[in-house]
């Protein structure tokens, strides 16, 4: 049976749209990320707790990890990350997402989902293993939130500018940054700037938390994004 590292490498190497720019043993991720500047880093550990530790250290400057997958183009700052683990739990997944993971997959079925997951997180979206979707369905596909949830969410959303509300509404619909940019005739960098301000105003750190607030706020009149004319160059 192929090891997780070899299996990941094979899947990414066989996909023409990806380029594996580097890989390394635990303790080398910080240096590898620094010189290779990947768009996406794939972290493979047996346990969720190990992956959480790696993510924490990646943010702290001395991370450790398994594999790095680069997409065409360079990026600055911390790359998006896809975490692979043997077993996934709701609590562990929440911790991983809270620590900045953009994708979470099971090792045993990662070969089936890695390509679309890497593509999604590279475009600024969220990628979760199908085994986790039932929990999301329970959390989001349910009756409209009660006033105890809706009113605070509406208060937070009211602090946003009209354009920030447009962006948040599309985040709540699950759209990645590039599609939001196209829908609102903005540049991807402008969408990222809006998202940074949105996170600050809402007091959240992840895309999922922002989407949850958007969903609760829409218990009232739904906000429909206004499609403006393209920004002048």
């Amino acid at each position: 049976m192929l090891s997780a590292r070899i299996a990941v490498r094979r899947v990414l190497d066989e996909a023409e749209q990806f380029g594996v720019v580097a890989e390394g043993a635990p303790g080398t991720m910080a240096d590898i990320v620094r010189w290779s500047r990947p768009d996406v880093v794939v972290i493979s550990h047996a346990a969720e707790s190990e992956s959480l530790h790696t993510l924490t250290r990646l943010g702290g400057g001395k991370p450790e990890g398994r594999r790095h997958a680069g997409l065409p183009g360079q990026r600055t700052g911390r790359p998006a990350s896809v975490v692979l683990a043997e077993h996934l739990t709701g609590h562990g997944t929440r911790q991983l997402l809270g620590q900045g993971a953009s994708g979470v997959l099971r090792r045993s079925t990662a070969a089936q989902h890695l390509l679309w997951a890497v593509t999604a997180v590279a475009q600024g979206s969220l990628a979760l293993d199908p085994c986790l979707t039932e929990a999301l369905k329970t959390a989001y596909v349910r009756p409209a939130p009660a006033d105890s949830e809706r009113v605070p969410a509406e208060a937070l959303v009211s602090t946003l500018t009209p354009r920030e509300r447009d962006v948040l509404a599309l985040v709540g619909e699950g759209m990645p940054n590039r599609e939001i940019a196209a829908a609102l005739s903005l540049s991807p960098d402008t969408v990222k700037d809006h998202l940074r301000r949105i996170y600050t105003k809402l007091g959240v750190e992840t895309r999922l938390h922002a989407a949850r607030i958007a969903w609760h706020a829409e218990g009232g009149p739904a906000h429909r994004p206004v499609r403006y004319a393209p920004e002048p160059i």
Side-chain angles (χ1 to χ4, degrees), residues 212-223:
R212 187 177 181 86
I213 289 175
W215 187 87
H216 284 313
E218 287 179 6
H223 175 73

Side-chain angles (χ1 to χ4, degrees), residues 1-228:
M1 182 176 179
L2 293 176
S3 71
R5 291 184 65 178
I6 295 174
V8 168
R9 177 74 189 225
R10 175 170 294 182
V11 170
L12 295 175
D13 280 343
E14 290 178 353
E16 295 182 358
Q17 69 266 41
F18 301 119
V20 178
V21 297
E23 62 178 293
T28 65
M29 182 180 288
D31 291 336
I32 292 176
V33 168
R34 188 178 302 114
W35 64 258
S36 65
R37 295 191 178 186
D39 291 279
V40 178
V41 57
V42 180
I43 303 168
S44 178
H45 284 295
E48 290 174 320
S49 58
E50 294 179 83
S51 297
L52 183 64
H53 182 60
T54 293
L55 282 170
T56 302
R57 297 190 67 186
L58 179 59
K62 285 189 177 182
E64 52 182 299
R66 299 285 185 179
R67 178 167 305 280
H68 312 273
L71 293 175
Q74 295 290 308
R75 62 176 288 135
T76 58
R78 179 172 173 171
S81 57
V82 176
V83 171
L84 312 183
E86 293 288 355
H87 303 288
L88 299 175
T89 65
H91 176 69
T93 299
R94 285 192 294 273
Q95 288 186 307
L96 291 169
L97 295 174
Q99 193 58 42
S102 302
V104 181
L105 300 174
R106 286 180 298 174
R107 267 184 172 186
S108 60
T109 57
Q112 302 173 33
H113 307 296
L114 194 59
L115 298 185
W116 68 259
V118 170
T119 301
V121 302
Q123 295 176 347
S125 193
L126 182 70
L128 295 180
D129 192 279
C131 74
L132 299 169
T133 57
E134 187 60 34
L136 285 178
K137 179 180 178 181
T138 300
Y140 292 103
V141 184
R142 60 185 182 183
D147 286 347
S148 61
E149 297 174 320
R150 178 176 55 81
V151 173
E154 286 182 341
L156 287 172
V157 172
S158 70
T159 66
L160 305 180
T161 66
R163 201 43 151 173
E164 289 167 353
R165 292 186 67 191
D166 291 341
V167 172
L168 178 63
L170 296 183
V171 167
E173 293 177 12
M175 292 179 63
N177 288 1
R178 291 180 184 177
E179 291 184 13
I180 293 174
L184 300 179
S185 299
L186 300 172
S187 71
D189 286 340
T190 299
V191 172
K192 291 180 181 178
D193 290 339
H194 281 311
L195 282 173
R196 280 193 287 269
R197 289 191 289 270
I198 289 169
Y199 290 174
T200 298
K201 291 181 180 180
L202 298 184
V204 301
E205 297 181 354
T206 69
R207 195 180 194 89
L208 185 61
H209 291 159
R212 187 177 181 86
I213 289 175
W215 187 87
H216 284 313
E218 287 179 6
H223 175 73
R224 300 300 179 188
V226 178
R227 270 64 173 179
Y228 294 108

